[in-house]
Structures are given as C-alpha cells and as structure tokens.
Amino acid sequence: MLAVRVLGMLGVLLVLSFIVFSLMYLAPGDIVKNLLGNRPSSPDAVAAIRAQYHLDDPFLVQYVRWLGGFVTGDLGESIRLQTSVSDAISSRVGLTAALCGIAFVIALVVAIPLGVRSAVRAGGASDRTASALAVVGLSAPTFAVGLLLLYVFAYYLPVFPVYGAGSGGLDTLWHLVLPAITLALGLGAIILKLTRTAMLRELEADYVTSARARGLSERSVQRIALRNAAIPIVTGASLVLTFLVGGTVLAETTFALPGLGTLLQDSVLFKDIAVVQSLTLLVAIVIAVIALLADIAYILLDPRVRERGVPA
C-alpha cells in the first residue's frame, strides 16, 4: 500500500535528520569563533552568543527544538548569514531548480533517442558511438567536465559567460547552459543505458516478431516497443534524477552560481547547523517524493501492477 510506503518514507527522513544533526553537532570547529573571527572578545560576549543560539543546551534539546520548528515551518536563523533559513533557501532555490530542470530536459531529449537508435542498430557504428559517450558521461567527474566546457566555450571560444547567474530572465538562462550540459552528461549517460537495455529486451520479445510477420512497418514496431519499454525508462529516469542533487554542488561551485549547492557547501564549512540540517532534510524530502512518484508512475504505466493493487 502507498500509505505504508509514505510512513516508511517519513521514518527514513526522521532517522536521516537525527544522523545529520548528530554529525554536524560532533563536527570539529566552534561556531562562536567563526562568528567572531580574529577579533578580541570578552567572556561575556562569548557567553551571550552561546546563549542567543542555545549552544549550551543538551544535544537532544537542540535537536527536538530544531525538529519542532522544521515541522511547523520555522527553520531557524542562519548564523553565518544573519537571516532566516527560509529566506536564505528561498532566495536561491529558483536558480538551482532551473539548473536541474534544464539539465534533466537536455538529458531526456538527447539520451532517449540515442538509446533507441543504439538498440535498433545494436553493434553498429551508432551503437558504439552512443556506448562510448555513455562511458565518458559515467566516468568523467562533474567538475572536470565543467572546467573543460569553460575552457572551450567560455575562454577559447567566448560564446558563453565564464561564471555567475546573470542579471535575470534570458541572461540567467544563457548563464545556465554550460552548467546544465555539465550535469546532463552524467545523467544522460545513465538514461541512455536504461533506454538501450529496455529497448533491446522489447525488440527481442515474441510480440515484436509477430508484428513484423504481420507486415507492420519498422517505425510502427519501434513505436510499440518503445511504449512497452517506457515503464523501466520512466521509473529509472525519475530515480536517477537524484543524481542531480550531488552533481549540483560541484557544478554550482565550478561555475560560481549562487544556488543551493554553494549555500550548502559554505554552510558546512562554517558549521551553520540550521542551514545544513534544513537544506539536507529538504533535499532528502525531494528525493523521497521523487521515489514515491516513481512508484506511482510504475503503477499507472503497468496494468498488471494496478490489477494486483500493490506497488512494485
């Protein structure tokens, strides 16, 4: 039942929140020293800061206070930015969402046709080329791909901007092209492999042989096979969408984009627990929702699963 899956998802998120909070609590570094820097400070000033942010409270008290605020929509205050965590995240989430969306669309538009063509002409030149591209996409580190694209298309051929998010609108979209391609390369490689494998399995099925024997055109046969292969492709693509979560941090750092990735990186280095905890849990929620939607998509696409009445 989906209700059981949702309850399990909530349990995993609760455990994850406790683990992340514990790791940040035990991480080396002192928030007070980060705030004060090298400036001389009196014991009274240090005590006031620790009292303001409840740093002397027991670990479980701090965790329960934060979790209660998160559930009610109060994410706390960023020690580093001196603003609410909600404002810090909301001011950057649009850029990261646009980057992930563009990268995902590019990956789908390029990888699925390549995967289909690779399966239809298995062993041919197009198949070998697609397989080589997939190997490059899977093995090349995100930051290395980003630096290569920057050198070629921003420095050597100054077509795209070097860094930053632009001034908004079309200018921001233009700034996101290279970072999106950087992310799409790895994501597209996975989707290409999934599409090729699913199509090969369908093209070898008996119903394809029967359709060809009845005189259906090869285009019609491929269309039928792709429709049946859509189940593993859609569910697989939705799950590998989580690949963007880790890659976004590296891509935003490489291209100096003020998104959630750089916010998370800076907050971890500063030990800004409220931001790290809230952002990590929000990302985990997004991943869990994507996985749940993948299960629902599987149910909708596969009538056999619907008839059994349980998710695969």
Side-chain angles (χ1 to χ4, degrees):
M1 297 292 292
L2 287 177
V4 176
R5 187 66 61 87
V6 172
L7 290 176
M9 180 184 72
L10 294 177
V12 170
L13 292 175
L14 180 62
V15 173
L16 180 63
S17 69
F18 183 81
I19 293 174
V20 174
F21 194 91
S22 302
L23 292 176
M24 288 301 300
Y25 185 86
L26 297 174
D30 188 353
I31 298 176
V32 177
K33 290 182 179 179
N34 291 338
L35 278 173
L36 296 175
N38 295 322
R39 293 172 296 178
S41 56
S42 64
D44 292 338
V46 173
I49 293 176
R50 299 191 68 86
Q52 178 182 354
Y53 295 105
H54 307 285
L55 298 178
D56 291 325
D57 290 348
F59 165 76
L60 288 178
V61 173
Q62 294 186 41
Y63 171 72
V64 172
R65 179 186 296 111
W66 174 86
L67 186 61
F70 185 91
V71 173
T72 58
D74 181 11
L75 305 185
E77 182 179 354
S78 170
I79 298 176
R80 181 176 66 91
L81 300 175
Q82 292 296 299
T83 185
S84 68
V85 176
S86 300
D87 291 341
I89 293 177
S90 61
S91 64
R92 300 182 181 226
V93 68
L95 183 66
T96 299
L99 174 60
C100 292
I102 296 172
F104 191 59
V105 170
I106 293 174
L108 291 180
V109 170
V110 175
I112 292 180
L114 277 179
V116 172
R117 186 177 182 85
S118 178
V120 171
R121 302 188 178 184
S126 57
D127 184 24
R128 291 194 296 269
T129 302
S131 297
L133 291 175
V135 170
V136 173
L138 289 172
S139 58
T142 301
F143 72 91
V145 174
L147 291 176
L148 178 61
L149 292 177
L150 276 175
Y151 179 77
V152 176
F153 296 106
Y155 176 74
Y156 188 74
L157 299 174
V159 179
F160 294 98
V162 177
Y163 64 91
S167 57
L170 293 177
D171 187 44
T172 297
L173 291 177
W174 189 244
H175 279 72
L176 293 180
V177 171
L178 287 184
I181 294 175
T182 301
L183 290 175
L185 184 62
L187 183 65
I190 300 174
I191 297 176
L192 191 155
K193 286 293 187 181
L194 288 173
T195 304
R196 182 182 184 277
T197 301
M199 279 295 294
L200 281 175
R201 183 173 58 249
E202 295 299 328
L203 291 174
E204 294 174 355
D206 292 338
Y207 73 87
V208 172
T209 303
S210 176
R212 287 170 175 163
R214 292 200 306 269
L216 268 68
S217 65
E218 191 63 26
R219 182 178 295 273
S220 298
V221 172
Q222 293 175 16
R223 188 181 302 114
I224 295 172
L226 180 60
R227 186 165 59 246
N228 291 327
I231 296 174
I233 294 174
V234 170
T235 54
S238 60
L239 290 175
V240 299
L241 180 59
T242 58
F243 170 86
L244 293 175
V245 176
T248 300
V249 176
L250 295 175
E252 290 183 356
T253 302
T254 303
F255 292 90
L257 295 173
L260 295 180
T262 52
L263 175 63
L264 179 60
Q265 180 191 42
D266 295 339
S267 299
V268 169
L269 295 176
F270 196 86
K271 202 179 179 181
D272 196 344
I273 296 178
V275 176
V276 175
Q277 180 73 0
S278 299
L279 191 52
T280 302
L281 193 55
L282 287 174
V283 170
I285 290 173
V286 171
I287 294 175
V289 170
I290 291 173
L292 184 63
L293 292 177
D295 291 337
I296 295 174
Y298 201 103
I299 295 174
L300 296 177
L301 289 171
D302 194 337
R304 297 169 297 180
V305 177
R306 290 200 302 272
E307 291 172 1
R308 290 198 299 266
V310 294

